[in-house]
Structures are given as structure tokens and as C-alpha cells.
Amino acid sequence: MNDWIRVGTRSDFLPGEYKVVWDGDTPIAVYNIDGALYAVEDTCTHDGGDLAGGEVFGFEVECPRHGARFDLRTGAVTRPPAYEPIASFPVREDDGAIWTRDDR
């Protein structure tokens, strides 16, 4: 799994849980939403704050600082004050391990 970052195992992610890993200097938050895994850059495009730990509403994460929301499936902004999307990343499951990477 060259250049992929190991996040953990499926059992590490109960529905609604997340984990943050780093790919170089990029923080990546991996979320389990109803059994599906999504990975996004853990940085709000409004002010650079962390998104992980913000409340999750369906497929949206809300920035705990100013309330911007982002779609965890695509990174799209769903509520201002942010206007720029966050990056979304691939997630792979291989032999029970969960992997992601910054593929930009």
C-alpha cells in the first residue's frame, strides 16, 4: 500500500465515529457514516480550524468554530461562512485494515 496511510481497522470505527491521521503535513479525518467510510481534509476553509470533533448531521460535519458545514462525501460547502470546499480523499479497506491518502 505504497503512499497510503493506515487509519486502523473496521472495528476501530463504529458508526458515527471518526479518527484523524496525517499524510505528511495534511490532517485527514476519516468518518464512519452508517457503515460507509469517508475521508476529508481536517481543515475548515473559512478560518483553518479543525473540523474533527464538530457535530455531524447526516453526511455533513459542522465546523465547531463558526458553524460552516461540509459534505463528508464530496467536501462541498453546504453552509457558510465557508465558500471553498475541503478536499476529499479515497478510502480503501484491505484485509481488514482501513487506508487513506492525500491523492492531490
Side-chain angles (χ1 to χ4, degrees):
M1 301 290 295
N2 288 344
D3 73 342
W4 288 79
I5 305 300
R6 189 174 193 276
V7 178
T9 63
R10 175 61 76 163
S11 62
D12 293 332
F13 290 93
L14 296 176
E17 292 186 337
Y18 69 89
K19 183 175 182 181
V20 177
V21 295
W22 290 80
D23 187 349
D25 61 353
T26 303
I28 301 174
V30 180
Y31 290 83
N32 179 337
I33 306 297
D34 295 330
L37 299 172
Y38 302 97
V40 295
E41 187 167 7
D42 185 33
T43 306
C44 180
T45 57
H46 170 243
D47 71 352
D50 296 342
L51 293 172
E55 196 166 349
V56 174
F57 301 91
F59 291 102
E60 298 178 353
V61 62
E62 182 176 272
C63 178
R65 293 172 49 105
H66 298 113
R69 286 192 191 179
F70 301 89
D71 188 313
L72 293 169
R73 298 167 293 186
T74 65
V77 175
T78 59
R79 188 171 85 185
Y83 292 98
E84 294 292 321
I86 56 175
S88 62
F89 304 114
V91 178
R92 294 176 65 170
E93 191 166 358
D94 187 41
D95 290 328
I98 307 298
W99 303 81
T100 191
R101 68 177 177 181
D102 182 348
D103 63 347
R104 293 178 287 183

